[in-house]
Amino acid sequence: MENCIGTVPIHLKMTLTTKEAAEYSNIGINKIDSMLRTPNCPFVLFVGTKKLVKRKEIEQFISEKLMI
C-alpha cells in the first residue's frame, strides 16, 4: 500500500498560513500579519514562533466587520 499524502483544500483546513489566509479571504498578507499582531487577536494560533490563522474564527471575524 502506497503512502500518499495529498494536499488538503483550504476550505477544509482548521488553520491556515498567512499566505493561505490572504488567498482565502482576499485580504493582503501584510494586513493579515498586522491583524495577527494585535493583542488578544481571536484567530491567531501560535505554534512555537509560527503564527497560524484559525479559519472559522477569521471567517466569523470578517463577517462581523464592515471595515478592516
Side-chain angles (χ1 to χ4, degrees):
M1 186 172 203
E2 184 180 319
N3 286 339
C4 181
I5 299 175
T7 58
V8 178
I10 289 177
H11 70 278
L12 296 177
K13 289 185 172 187
M14 292 180 65
T15 59
L16 308 171
T17 63
T18 53
K19 184 177 178 182
E20 290 172 335
E23 184 179 323
Y24 184 70
S25 65
N26 203 28
I27 298 172
I29 293 173
N30 292 335
K31 183 62 178 179
I32 295 281
D33 193 47
S34 70
M35 291 165 55
L36 294 176
R37 284 192 305 255
T38 60
N40 300 322
C41 177
F43 50 85
V44 66
L45 173 67
F46 289 98
V47 180
T49 58
K50 184 177 180 179
K51 290 181 276 188
L52 295 175
V53 179
K54 299 176 189 176
R55 185 183 51 82
K56 288 183 181 180
E57 285 79 353
I58 196 168
E59 286 176 359
Q60 181 179 2
F61 178 82
I62 291 171
S63 69
E64 294 172 355
K65 296 293 181 185
L66 294 175
M67 183 171 50
I68 297 177

